[in-house]
Amino acid sequence: MKVLVLAPKSRYDTYGPETPTSKAAQLIFCDREGTEAEWLAAGGDADALFVTPVTAISAAFIAQMPHLKLIHSEGVGFDRIDLEAAKARGIYVCNNAGCNAAAVSELSITLMSMLLHRVLWGDRMVRQGHQGEAVRLMEQDIPSDLSLSTVGLIGFGAIGQAVAERLRPYGSEVFYFAPHRRDEETEIRLNARYLPLEELAARCDILSLHLPANTASHHLVNEEFLSCVKPTAFLVNTARGAIIDDEALCAALREDRLAGAAVDCYEPEPAGADHPLVRLAAEYPDKLILCPHYGGLSKSAFRAAHRMLFEDLESVIAGRRPQRVVNDL
């Protein structure tokens, strides 16, 4: 089976599994920043397509690949793939749900702690030779920590649940909101209780986003949502940039209606110097932590992701439905 891969070959050399399917597949690598014409010239007759979560796959491109049976995201995100166009052709679209749950959850908790302990501000003060002044100021306004924080998880899939699991040793009080409430056994095991979204927003000291990007989650964090949160609260987004209305978030931070935020994803990406959050970070360097969308980048995540890719490819070769279909086929 021929597979067009819009991702670096080095990843597959390093993390690809040693299985009969991975060895037999003919992998054709193309630059993910290339053009559709270049991709088609290299692998327009491919049976499968492996892409990064930020690579756009259009209906027009899909229409020009007559043998295509599978489009597989290397990560969790699949919002840049035209799902309906693939479904109309009977092409499975899959993702690697849960592959990076450990990595993203670790970053989420790291960012929570950085916000609580004012790490950016402390770093800047020490670099400027003001360590003593920083300690005196902190003693006048002692920060909280995770053990005393109420954390609200918005989205409770593999990553949200991994965050809840990792928060247990800290002693945080954890609530969650999701489109579908989990069973009682899961809530007890993860020590997380369900709250409606507006109540969760108003109650929690830290709000952490773990939703996929879709029509239901688009700009979920908007002016109305932010009007519910406490002015001492922090927001963490390691999910997708489109979940946040950036102008509303910037206004809340400028007007001290939100204490701070940390984000690892943007709308659009890549975020340039003119992005609202990048401009705000220059204006308020201690209120906003900006990461380059690398929460899911870890060795364990890549090993899991590449294993899942070839598992689903093997199913397609065998004429079976893949495990991780996201376009309702």
Side-chain angles (χ1 to χ4, degrees):
M1 179 168 280
K2 184 180 287 188
V3 183
L4 178 61
V5 183
L6 306 182
K9 182 176 182 297
S10 58
R11 290 186 189 173
Y12 288 76
D13 292 339
T14 304
Y15 302 107
E18 289 291 324
T19 65
T21 301
S22 66
K23 292 177 180 178
Q26 180 185 355
L27 304 183
I28 301 167
F29 293 91
C30 277
D31 185 353
R32 61 185 172 183
E33 302 295 336
T35 65
E36 290 186 353
E38 290 170 342
W39 300 341
L40 290 168
D45 60 342
D47 304 285
L49 179 64
F50 292 170
V51 300
T52 69
V54 296
T55 304
I57 302 300
S58 68
F61 180 66
I62 293 170
Q64 296 178 79
M65 297 191 70
H67 305 298
L68 197 59
K69 303 175 183 67
L70 171 68
I71 303 172
H72 210 305
S73 169
E74 286 189 337
V76 176
F78 53 87
D79 50 291
R80 304 205 68 188
I81 301 169
D82 193 315
L83 301 182
E84 291 304 318
K87 184 178 180 180
R89 282 268 312 278
I91 299 167
Y92 294 114
V93 178
C94 298
N95 76 333
N96 289 325
C99 72
N100 58 10
V104 177
S105 62
E106 286 179 17
L107 178 64
S108 300
I109 293 172
T110 297
L111 294 174
M112 293 177 195
S113 187
M114 288 179 69
L115 289 167
L116 286 168
H117 294 282
R118 306 172 200 166
V119 170
L120 289 185
W121 173 81
D123 176 82
R124 180 173 59 81
M125 291 291 283
V126 173
R127 287 172 185 265
Q128 294 175 354
H130 303 310
Q131 180 187 359
E133 181 184 355
V135 172
R136 287 192 295 273
L137 290 171
M138 289 286 276
E139 288 175 343
Q140 295 170 20
D141 185 13
I142 301 294
S144 189
D145 52 44
L146 284 170
S147 69
L148 298 177
S149 296
T150 301
V151 179
L153 305 175
I154 302 173
F156 208 56
I159 296 173
Q161 291 184 35
V163 173
E165 184 177 16
R166 284 161 173 76
L167 283 171
R168 289 198 67 159
Y170 291 97
S172 306
E173 187 176 21
V174 178
F175 296 95
Y176 77 93
F177 167 81
H180 305 287
R181 183 171 181 174
R182 300 304 187 263
D183 58 87
E184 184 178 5
E185 181 181 349
T186 299
E187 292 185 350
I188 293 172
R189 176 173 57 84
L190 296 172
N191 194 33
R193 289 175 285 168
Y194 176 87
L195 282 179
L197 182 61
E198 186 173 319
E199 187 176 344
L200 180 141
R203 181 164 180 168
C204 293
D205 304 307
I206 300 170
L207 299 161
S208 190
L209 305 180
H210 304 288
L211 292 166
N214 53 37
T215 53
S217 66
H218 183 75
H219 286 189
L220 182 72
V221 177
N222 54 21
E223 181 59 39
E224 181 181 0
F225 176 93
L226 291 167
S227 69
C228 299
V229 305
K230 298 185 287 189
T232 55
F234 296 105
L235 177 71
V236 175
N237 185 14
T238 55
R240 285 292 181 268
I243 298 172
I244 295 178
D245 179 338
D246 291 328
E247 296 299 339
L249 175 59
C250 289
L253 289 167
R254 282 195 180 97
E255 296 164 13
D256 293 326
R257 293 185 284 114
L258 186 69
V263 300
D264 186 43
C265 38
Y266 307 88
E267 181 192 28
E269 286 190 333
D274 61 342
H275 192 282
L277 295 177
V278 176
R279 288 189 278 109
L280 185 72
E283 188 178 350
Y284 295 95
D286 302 331
K287 279 192 170 186
L288 198 56
I289 300 171
L290 303 182
C291 299
H293 204 161
Y294 61 1
L297 301 182
S298 77
K299 291 180 179 180
S300 64
F302 274 117
R303 288 194 183 100
H306 286 76
R307 173 181 53 78
M308 292 175 180
L309 287 170
F310 287 101
E311 285 177 352
D312 284 334
L313 181 64
E314 181 179 356
S315 294
V316 171
I317 292 172
R320 301 190 303 267
R321 184 179 185 271
Q323 296 180 46
R324 305 169 182 90
V325 178
V326 296
N327 66 331
D328 298 325
L329 277 180

